Amino acid sequence: MWRWVRQQLGFDPPHQSDTRTIYIANRFPLNGLYTPQKFIDNRIISSKYTVWNFVPKNLFEQFRRVANFYFLIIFLVQLMIDTPTSPITSGLPLFFVITVTAIKQGYEDWLRHNSDNEVNGAPVYVVRSGGLVKTRSKNIRVGDIVRIAKDEIFPADLVLLSSDRPDGSCHITTASLDGETNLKTHVAVPETTVLRTVANLDTLVAVIECQQPEADLYRFMGRMIITQQMEEIVRPLGPESLLLRGARLKNTKEIFGVAVYTGMETKMALNYKSKSQKRSTVEKSMNTFLIIYLIILISEAIISTILKYTWQTEEKWDEPWYNQKTEHQRNSSKILRFISDFLAFLVLYNFIIPISLYVTVEMQKFLGSFFIGWDLDLYHEESGQKAQVNTSDLNEELGQVEYVFTDKTGTLTENEMQFRECSINGIKYQEINGRLVSEGPTPDSSDGNLSYLSSFSHLNNLPHLTSSSSFGTSPENETQLIKEHDLFFKAVSLCHTVQISNVQTDGIGDGPWQASLAPSQLEYYASSPDEKALVEAAARIGVVFIGSYEETMEVKILGKLEQYKLLHILEFDSDRRRMSVIVQAPSGEKFLFAKGAESSILPTCIGGEIEKTRIHVDEFALKGLRTLCMAYRQLTSKEYEVINRRLFEARTALQQREEKLANAFQFIEKDLILLGATAVEDRLQDKVRETIEALRMAGIKVWVLTGDKHETAVSVSLSCGHFHRTMNILELINQKSDNECAEQLRQLARRITEDHVIQHGLVVDGTSLSLALREHEKLFMDVCRNCSAVLCCRMAPLQKAKVIRLIKISPEKPITLAVGDGANDVSMIQEAHVGIGIMGKEGRQAARNSDYAIARFKFLSKLLFVHGHFYYIRIATLVQYFFYKNVCFITPQFLYQFYCLFSQQTLYDSVYLTLYNICFTSLPILIYSLLEQHINPHVLQNKPTLYRDISKNRQLSMTNFLYWTILGFSHAFIFFFGSYFLMGKDTSLLGNGQMFGNWTFGSLVFTVMLITVTVKMALETHFWTWINHFVTWGSIIFYFVFSLFYGGILWPFSDSQNMYFVFFQLLSSGSVWFAIILMVVMCLFLDIVKKVFDRHFHPTNTEKAQMYSNTVALSDEFIALQPLSRARNQLSKLRWKKIRVQSAQHMNLLKASTEGRTVGTC
């Protein structure tokens, strides 16, 4: 009964069973016994707040901060009891901090809402009531039939019903999901393939039963029950029937599919890690420092309270004649009086906790983030994309990264395969301008020069091919060569699963080596990027794959069309690492063509130039090229009959089908004749190798996490410099059980210990990683920590996040950064301390969910080594300076209590208490934290080792924190006692004999303190602009002007006029001016001496680089960091000052690179 009530009220989850039942087109049974299941809508939500929860949720998060919560308590105490200062002194700064922070975080979440609205509001077409209805993506319901056109993205997880193809198949790319840009084929069940129109689909009566949503992209189980002529037909559904949200339809005009998972239940959304608030290391250090200062504050309040009551043990001080107690005070509880006095002292000293620190940090992060977007060095001209900052809370974390986890496809590479070289019959060739050029002498040739392969001219029966051709061979050898080359390129053109669209074959391949025709007129789609590159290369050479129609494959060879009947496809699998096709030639001969990794092809070969080809493959691999070997076998009629029978039996088996197919493939793929090998290049993005090497020099470990195959991933790791040729590569792959995995890990650990190799690299696949993380985390981490580079392949999106999580919680607690460009990378981007999205070719999911977005991987070095370095130094100085200036501010207040019998008399006027952090000392540190460049950016980027100087939060170490704190206390003692000794014996320092009072004394202390802390900020500044000068010296001038104005007028709204004419009297004394100068010099002299001594006798690497950077002329990197108007000013100064540059040409290029640019165009 109770469960039924909860279900009716909507408290129970909508899905209680392990399966869901979906009525296609939402045609529910007519009888009333069925209760429809409740499914969520199709909205994607990446935002954090709503209109209703913004205020309570944001306030809760802000008051989790120690300083905010503390000042809230102080404000409430001031409201409840009589305290020496007004509640406004705490309430106004607190309100200002909370408001500014809420506006900043609300603006950032508003941007996320806009991004979500753009996705959820995308137009889609849904079949409803017998017609095609245009609606928005968010309105799709489970059970709706959706129409998707070519190149559109699937808005939900759909089960394919039909396509414009007769066989009901379609082709999709899942680059934004698993990082693979290859084409994947999906098929519909036979009964729905004929339903290609809306009218036909309106007659469909079917039910889908499938599993509840899960994150695994490659797993889907279900069945479709179709009712036809009062009979039910049951068809199984698998991953080949499911079209995932985020994938894109290719090479198919349109498809119809039924939505089975929507919104946050789609596999793409389930692979998103829930968005949590990221906190930087600096913020954690701030909270630690605040707790220390809170302990200091409480200690001072307790000491003051105890000393007050100790002093009042003497009767003359307990109730002096001028301060008689009331009857109520005499009869009140001593415990309550003690608590009240303790709280009063707490309020009096509360400004030692710098609440304005948080608002200054928020402003620094928000305003400072604009410099990343303005940086012209992070602007990609080809795509017109500039760097984006989605979360400014982590700017300084860019300077603390210890691990970089990067995706491969689209992040390190351009997603473009290019054919480079091949080996045919033991001869190595490379493609140059659409022609194959052999390297070295060919057989029976004495000429060692490059020769052009022109053996295909026999296919047009051209008579001019003689022994005088470039091969220089005898007719018999020439015939054999022609046959080998003929078979090689036929194998390349036939052994694949490539699909083709926009077929326009006229004029293609009409002559030999027409390099420019085929690619412009044929559009290939492949399940593997290698296949596409190879077929395109064969087309350029003259063997053009025209297309496949049902069971026929058409190839045009130098203008002559040949048709091959496709008999069987032996699909690729990771165990065999090869694929094969069996075709029947126009002559009736049957051939088996096979291609695969050399380790899987060469052992099955019994003929051909095996050894020479193996050498060539090794040479290709050393160049970082991806290699495949090609082989063939001619089948007799009897052999084919046996093969055909075994394949039929294996494919129709109901039990152990996979095992029987593997045995059949092994029986077929044997006794092959080796034809040669191919080498293609997965083109890396520009400067990837240099960027990875720079990251290593900076002490950052680089891990590559990819969903690609093992061989592909290793090849790219070698080519991009992630793995070195001299590195000892260890492998943890194809592990089947926990015990086997544990034993392999122990062997790897022993090898690392025993091998005297400087660097080790580790390769691990997704299956083995799951076993390693299940019960052997510590052993796995020990192996990883001893490896210079780690490559994880065949990774599911959530596995990527788990790996990063494992590193994050390790004992060292390193700072992690994740880089990716697809939706499959969102989980790891959100899991890492810092997430970087690449705005590449795989959609914008990664860029939208990242903390920062850049156009190319190479920009990562500038982002970390320059911006990260600057942001960290700026905010580290800001934090420590704030604590320093507040110690200087409050310590004289504590010392003053010893001279006023702990009466809680304030040393400063309440206006000065309120404005000290808000106005008088706020701008110099804010401008410093925005513009400071302690080293030339050019030096930082070219010396990655300087990044090590700021790693592990060195600038905010306890040693540095204590130095700034002790410095603040020492300066405060000089302020207070310097002023006290100046006035202690002779208080009539004015010319008219008028004496100084306590407000004059407090004003003198405040004036010396303000000048000292401001000049201290000036000493910390290395990079001076007119803005720095204006706010630094302007703050001091503003204080004097304000004090004269504030003390020169009787304010009608003020209860007391304590400061009336005080500042005029103070400044009229020459002794005061001398004392101010003397105390400021005394405070800063030792600090200056220490800096000079350390810089000349114990300089750090950073200080050495600072001295070097002073000799470096202003560079374009330096200019790019400024706002555009400032960059132009610097360029004009360069021209007029005639600063030496490398060349006049370089100067012209420098001008041209910035002329005409605006922030909007960047």
Side-chain angles (χ1 to χ4, degrees):
M1 180 64 181
W2 174 242
R3 182 179 178 184
W4 179 85
V5 172
R6 288 180 57 84
Q7 287 178 342
Q8 297 305 311
L9 294 175
F11 291 119
D12 265 6
H15 312 305
Q16 297 293 332
S17 63
D18 294 333
T19 62
R20 58 169 52 185
T21 302
I22 301 161
Y23 288 83
I24 295 180
N26 291 305
R27 294 189 181 92
F28 302 114
L30 297 179
N31 56 53
L33 300 178
Y34 174 73
T35 303
Q37 289 179 306
K38 295 180 180 180
F39 304 111
I40 66 173
D41 58 28
N42 199 40
R43 287 181 300 171
I44 290 293
I45 302 173
S46 63
S47 55
K48 184 177 178 182
Y49 303 109
T50 65
V51 175
W52 309 108
N53 70 10
F54 174 74
V55 172
K57 191 172 182 179
N58 187 265
L59 288 177
F60 172 75
E61 290 180 349
Q62 291 206 56
F63 284 117
R64 288 169 58 191
R65 291 176 168 174
V66 175
N68 290 351
F69 183 74
Y70 162 76
F71 268 85
L72 177 64
I73 298 299
I74 293 296
F75 176 66
L76 296 176
V77 168
Q78 287 179 294
L79 291 176
M80 291 186 293
I81 67 172
D82 184 22
T83 58
T85 58
S86 168
I88 296 177
T89 59
S90 297
L92 185 61
L94 177 63
F95 176 78
F96 181 68
V97 168
I98 297 297
T99 303
V100 171
T101 304
I103 291 173
K104 170 185 169 293
Q105 294 181 352
Y107 172 73
E108 291 178 346
D109 202 62
W110 176 72
L111 294 178
R112 287 191 285 268
H113 271 283
N114 288 344
S115 178
D116 290 343
N117 292 337
E118 181 181 349
V119 174
N120 296 328
V124 295
Y125 288 91
V126 178
V127 178
R128 286 179 183 165
S129 303
L132 206 57
V133 179
K134 184 177 181 180
T135 184
R136 296 187 176 187
S137 174
K138 65 181 180 181
N139 297 328
I140 295 176
R141 299 171 298 173
V142 171
D144 280 345
I145 299 176
V146 185
R147 192 204 75 173
I148 305 297
K150 181 181 178 182
D151 291 328
E152 289 183 352
I153 295 176
F154 301 117
D157 288 352
L158 310 174
V159 166
L160 179 61
L161 295 178
S162 64
S163 73
D164 63 322
R165 295 170 174 267
D167 59 355
S169 66
C170 71
H171 303 286
I172 69 170
T173 57
T174 58
S176 64
L177 295 171
D178 56 15
E180 296 186 5
T181 56
N182 50 341
L183 215 63
K184 294 180 173 64
T185 303
H186 288 249
V187 294
V189 299
E191 284 71 22
T192 63
T193 56
V194 296
L195 307 176
R196 302 194 190 103
T197 65
V198 175
N200 291 336
L201 287 167
D202 196 43
T203 64
L204 176 63
V205 179
V207 178
I208 294 177
E209 294 178 353
C210 61
Q211 63 189 132
Q212 294 292 1
E214 65 171 28
D216 192 340
L217 295 175
Y218 311 107
R219 188 170 182 267
F220 176 71
M221 292 187 299
R223 62 178 182 174
M224 183 183 295
I225 305 172
I226 306 161
T227 303
Q228 288 184 351
Q229 299 176 355
M230 303 302 292
E231 292 185 2
E232 290 188 348
I233 303 173
V234 180
R235 293 291 184 184
L237 298 175
E240 71 282 353
S241 303
L242 187 66
L243 308 173
L244 300 180
R245 177 174 188 147
R248 189 183 295 272
L249 182 65
K250 285 287 187 181
N251 203 22
T252 308
K253 184 179 179 181
E254 67 175 11
I255 65 100
F256 289 94
V258 58
V260 291
Y261 305 129
T262 53
M264 300 306 291
E265 289 184 340
T266 58
K267 290 183 180 291
M268 183 182 77
L270 291 174
N271 275 280
Y272 287 174
K273 187 180 178 294
S274 58
K275 196 171 185 65
S276 58
Q277 182 74 17
K278 294 183 179 180
R279 298 172 62 205
S280 68
T281 306
V282 171
E283 186 173 343
K284 295 173 184 176
S285 298
M286 284 167 51
N287 286 340
T288 302
F289 298 159
L290 283 170
I291 291 173
I292 294 174
Y293 268 58
L294 190 59
I295 294 172
I296 294 174
L297 168 65
I298 294 173
S299 301
E300 289 182 346
I302 292 174
I303 291 171
S304 298
T305 307
I306 293 174
L307 289 177
K308 175 180 180 177
Y309 283 91
T310 302
W311 214 297
Q312 289 180 353
T313 53
E314 298 183 32
E315 186 176 350
K316 64 176 182 177
W317 298 122
D318 180 38
E319 193 174 354
W321 61 269
Y322 56 84
N323 191 18
Q324 295 291 319
K325 293 181 180 179
T326 64
E327 193 65 27
H328 174 72
Q329 289 175 329
R330 292 192 185 97
N331 297 329
S332 62
S333 169
K334 290 185 178 181
I335 296 177
L336 291 178
R337 276 189 291 159
F338 185 90
I339 294 175
S340 177
D341 285 327
F342 169 75
L343 292 176
F345 279 117
L346 209 61
V347 170
L348 187 64
Y349 302 147
N350 80 84
F351 286 96
I352 196 173
I353 305 295
I355 185 173
S356 57
L357 167 62
Y358 277 111
V359 72
T360 306
V361 167
E362 294 286 349
M363 293 175 65
Q364 187 269 345
K365 290 181 176 182
F366 179 70
L367 297 176
S369 63
F370 287 102
F371 286 97
I372 293 178
W374 289 338
D375 191 344
L376 298 181
D377 285 344
L378 301 182
Y379 173 69
H380 190 242
E381 293 187 3
E382 294 179 11
S383 60
Q385 294 168 333
K386 64 176 182 178
Q388 297 177 2
V389 179
N390 299 327
T391 305
S392 59
D393 291 337
L394 303 171
N395 293 341
E396 67 276 7
E397 207 78 335
L398 294 170
Q400 295 296 295
V401 176
E402 297 174 63
Y403 280 82
V404 167
F405 298 89
T406 175
D407 181 39
K408 181 191 72 65
T409 308
T411 304
L412 301 179
T413 67
E414 294 279 10
N415 284 345
E416 296 177 3
M417 297 289 183
Q418 294 183 347
F419 177 81
R420 292 301 184 195
E421 300 183 54
C422 66
S423 172
I424 306 175
N425 196 35
I427 304 172
K428 190 161 62 170
Y429 300 92
Q430 59 182 352
E431 184 184 17
I432 300 178
N433 297 326
R435 301 166 65 108
L436 284 186
V437 182
S438 66
E439 296 183 8
T442 57
D444 301 327
S445 171
S446 59
D447 184 8
N449 298 325
L450 294 178
S451 57
Y452 295 113
L453 177 62
S454 57
S455 60
F456 277 91
S457 55
H458 82 286
L459 297 172
N460 268 351
N461 298 317
L462 298 179
H464 67 266
L465 183 63
T466 65
S467 59
S468 62
S469 68
S470 61
F471 282 100
T473 62
S474 62
E476 296 78 6
N477 290 337
E478 182 179 299
T479 302
Q480 182 63 26
L481 278 173
I482 290 173
K483 180 181 178 182
E484 299 292 346
H485 290 79
D486 180 15
L487 286 172
F488 178 85
F489 285 103
K490 284 183 179 179
V492 171
S493 297
L494 295 172
C495 186
H496 56 73
T497 56
V498 171
Q499 301 293 325
I500 195 169
S501 72
N502 191 26
V503 179
Q504 300 174 6
T505 60
D506 295 340
I508 299 178
D510 291 335
W513 324 116
Q514 299 298 317
S516 62
L517 294 178
S520 63
Q521 300 185 17
L522 294 174
E523 186 177 1
Y524 292 116
Y525 294 97
S527 60
S528 165
D530 302 74
E531 288 188 335
K532 181 181 177 182
L534 293 177
V535 172
E536 288 176 343
R540 291 194 299 270
I541 290 167
V543 183
V544 185
F545 171 65
I546 300 301
S548 57
Y549 309 95
E550 297 180 354
E551 296 181 352
T552 302
M553 301 180 74
E554 292 186 351
V555 179
K556 183 178 284 189
I557 303 176
L558 298 178
K560 181 181 178 181
L561 187 64
E562 295 186 2
Q563 292 185 339
Y564 291 81
K565 185 177 181 181
L566 180 61
L567 302 175
H568 292 285
I569 297 177
L570 281 60
E571 296 85 358
F572 176 89
D573 63 66
S574 57
D575 293 329
R576 287 164 46 241
R577 298 202 297 176
R578 60 179 178 263
M579 74 158 291
S580 303
V581 295
I582 301 176
V583 297
Q584 181 175 322
S587 61
E589 297 175 308
K590 296 179 176 64
F591 290 93
L592 167 73
F593 292 116
K595 73 175 179 183
E598 74 279 1
S599 59
S600 63
I601 293 291
L602 296 184
T604 64
C605 293
I606 59 172
E609 297 290 345
I610 297 177
E611 292 305 319
K612 289 183 179 179
T613 304
R614 181 180 280 113
I615 294 173
H616 291 164
V617 167
D618 291 340
E619 293 174 355
F620 295 153
L622 287 173
K623 298 177 183 179
L625 303 178
R626 296 155 61 104
T627 60
L628 289 172
C629 289
M630 312 295 301
Y632 82 102
R633 173 186 173 190
Q634 188 169 353
L635 303 174
T636 65
S637 298
K638 290 184 178 180
E639 288 175 333
Y640 176 73
E641 289 177 5
V642 175
I643 289 173
N644 188 47
R645 185 177 65 254
R646 292 197 61 165
L647 284 175
F648 178 79
E649 292 174 354
R651 284 174 172 159
T652 56
L654 295 178
Q655 296 180 348
Q656 298 180 336
R657 179 182 299 179
E658 293 181 356
E659 182 179 344
K660 291 179 179 180
L661 276 174
N663 293 333
F665 290 168
Q666 186 175 3
F667 170 78
I668 297 168
E669 295 169 330
K670 64 180 182 180
D671 300 335
L672 304 179
I673 306 298
L674 184 63
L675 291 171
T678 62
V680 298
E681 179 185 19
D682 186 3
R683 193 160 70 88
L684 293 174
Q685 289 187 16
D686 187 31
K687 295 185 178 179
V688 167
R689 178 183 286 271
E690 293 86 343
T691 303
I692 291 179
E693 187 59 34
L695 292 174
R696 277 209 186 93
M697 293 175 63
I700 299 173
K701 290 188 176 182
V702 181
W703 287 35
V704 175
L705 311 180
T706 177
D708 269 0
K709 304 170 188 175
H710 167 242
E711 296 83 8
T712 304
V714 171
S715 176
V716 173
S717 285
L718 288 168
S719 61
C720 73
H722 179 237
F723 284 165
H724 290 295
R725 298 293 173 188
T726 58
M727 190 179 286
N728 184 20
I729 307 299
L730 309 175
E731 291 189 346
L732 182 67
I733 57 176
N734 298 327
Q735 302 301 303
K736 305 298 183 183
S737 65
D738 284 336
N739 294 334
E740 183 181 348
C741 182
E743 181 58 31
Q744 180 67 12
L745 282 171
R746 283 189 282 269
Q747 290 181 10
L748 294 179
R750 284 195 297 270
R751 284 185 59 184
I752 291 174
T753 306
E754 296 169 359
D755 291 351
H756 300 289
V757 178
I758 298 177
Q759 291 184 328
H760 297 272
L762 176 65
V763 182
V764 58
D765 61 9
T767 305
S768 304
L769 181 68
S770 298
L771 295 173
L773 298 183
R774 188 180 301 169
E775 295 183 4
H776 314 294
E777 282 189 9
K778 186 177 183 303
L779 187 57
F780 177 70
M781 282 304 302
D782 290 341
V783 173
C784 290
R785 272 195 292 265
N786 290 310
C787 293
S788 302
V790 178
L791 168 65
C792 300
C793 54
R794 279 299 178 195
M795 298 280 288
L798 285 181
Q799 279 185 313
K800 296 182 179 182
K802 287 180 181 178
V803 169
I804 296 178
R805 175 78 177 164
L806 182 64
I807 298 297
K808 282 174 61 178
I809 63 176
S810 62
E812 296 84 2
K813 298 289 189 297
I815 304 301
T816 59
L817 180 146
V819 192
D821 68 321
N824 62 314
D825 303 315
V826 169
S827 295
M828 74 171 185
I829 285 174
Q830 293 182 343
E831 178 63 53
H833 292 94
V834 182
I836 307 290
I838 301 292
M839 296 177 286
K841 302 176 182 178
E842 299 184 9
R844 290 292 183 270
Q845 289 92 338
R848 281 199 301 265
N849 288 275
S850 63
D851 303 308
Y852 303 89
I854 54 179
R856 287 294 182 268
F857 183 80
K858 66 179 180 180
F859 295 152
L860 189 62
S861 61
K862 179 74 179 287
L863 194 64
L864 297 185
F865 302 151
V866 179
H867 290 286
H869 199 117
F870 282 157
Y871 284 133
Y872 177 72
I873 291 295
R874 291 166 182 169
I875 202 166
T877 305
L878 183 152
V879 169
Q880 294 176 120
Y881 176 78
F882 251 92
F883 284 106
Y884 155 78
K885 72 185 182 74
N886 278 46
V887 167
C888 293
F889 183 40
I890 290 303
T891 302
Q893 180 77 72
F894 173 68
L895 297 174
Y896 184 59
Q897 297 306 304
F898 286 88
Y899 295 88
C900 66
L901 299 182
F902 296 93
S903 62
Q904 299 158 11
Q905 169 66 37
T906 178
L907 179 63
Y908 313 117
D909 183 74
S910 60
V911 171
Y912 289 98
L913 284 171
T914 304
L915 297 183
Y916 174 75
N917 280 317
I918 293 179
C919 294
F920 296 145
T921 60
S922 59
L923 284 181
I925 182 60
L926 177 61
I927 296 302
Y928 169 93
S929 64
L930 291 174
L931 301 180
E932 173 64 1
Q933 297 179 16
H934 62 298
I935 304 178
N936 190 293
H938 178 79
V939 176
L940 279 178
Q941 192 160 7
N942 287 282
K943 291 189 175 182
T945 51
L946 294 177
Y947 194 81
R948 297 172 182 258
D949 290 351
I950 61 170
S951 63
K952 299 187 182 299
N953 204 18
R954 282 191 174 91
Q955 299 300 315
L956 284 177
S957 64
M958 192 57 65
T959 303
N960 284 351
F961 170 71
L962 290 177
Y963 168 75
W964 280 87
T965 301
I966 293 172
L967 188 68
F969 277 115
S970 62
H971 287 182
F973 273 77
I974 294 175
F975 304 152
F976 183 84
F977 289 108
S979 300
Y980 177 77
F981 290 131
L982 174 69
M983 302 173 59
K985 294 183 180 180
D986 186 4
T987 56
S988 59
L989 294 178
L990 299 176
N992 59 5
Q994 189 173 350
M995 297 175 62
F996 278 177
N998 65 308
W999 295 113
T1000 309
F1001 174 73
S1003 297
L1004 176 60
V1005 173
F1006 192 91
T1007 302
V1008 176
M1009 173 188 61
L1010 181 71
I1011 296 174
T1012 301
V1013 298
T1014 304
V1015 176
K1016 170 63 177 172
M1017 186 73 263
L1019 291 176
E1020 295 297 320
T1021 304
H1022 295 87
F1023 181 70
W1024 283 91
T1025 66
W1026 69 266
I1027 303 177
N1028 295 83
H1029 285 290
F1030 178 77
V1031 300
T1032 301
W1033 316 122
S1035 294
I1036 298 175
I1037 295 172
F1038 172 75
Y1039 162 70
F1040 279 93
V1041 173
F1042 174 83
S1043 298
L1044 291 171
F1045 180 71
Y1046 173 64
I1049 298 177
L1050 290 172
W1051 298 97
F1053 54 81
S1054 178
D1055 295 335
S1056 61
Q1057 299 291 332
N1058 296 328
M1059 297 299 294
Y1060 181 68
F1061 226 66
V1062 168
F1063 211 67
F1064 285 93
Q1065 294 177 337
L1066 181 69
L1067 298 185
S1068 65
S1069 172
S1071 301
V1072 168
W1073 286 101
F1074 175 76
I1076 290 173
I1077 297 173
L1078 180 63
M1079 283 186 282
V1080 170
V1081 172
M1082 284 178 61
C1083 287
L1084 299 177
F1085 178 73
L1086 291 178
D1087 193 40
I1088 295 173
V1089 170
K1090 178 183 179 301
K1091 285 181 177 293
V1092 173
F1093 180 83
D1094 289 343
R1095 183 173 290 270
H1096 283 81
F1097 295 101
H1098 303 287
T1100 62
N1101 290 332
T1102 301
E1103 289 169 343
K1104 292 176 183 177
Q1106 285 174 338
M1107 291 184 281
Y1108 167 75
S1109 65
N1110 290 334
T1111 64
V1112 177
L1114 194 63
S1115 63
D1116 52 346
E1117 286 86 355
F1118 174 84
I1119 295 169
L1121 260 167
Q1122 313 304 318
L1124 193 65
S1125 59
R1126 182 172 179 78
R1128 286 175 173 167
N1129 290 337
Q1130 296 291 355
L1131 282 174
S1132 62
K1133 290 179 182 179
L1134 278 176
R1135 181 180 61 186
W1136 289 110
K1137 292 183 179 181
K1138 297 181 180 179
I1139 296 179
R1140 181 172 58 87
V1141 293
Q1142 292 181 352
S1143 64
Q1145 182 182 9
H1146 175 75
M1147 186 61 189
N1148 292 333
L1149 289 173
L1150 189 59
K1151 281 190 62 181
S1153 66
T1154 56
E1155 189 63 34
R1157 289 192 186 178
T1158 65
V1159 174
T1161 62
C1162 294

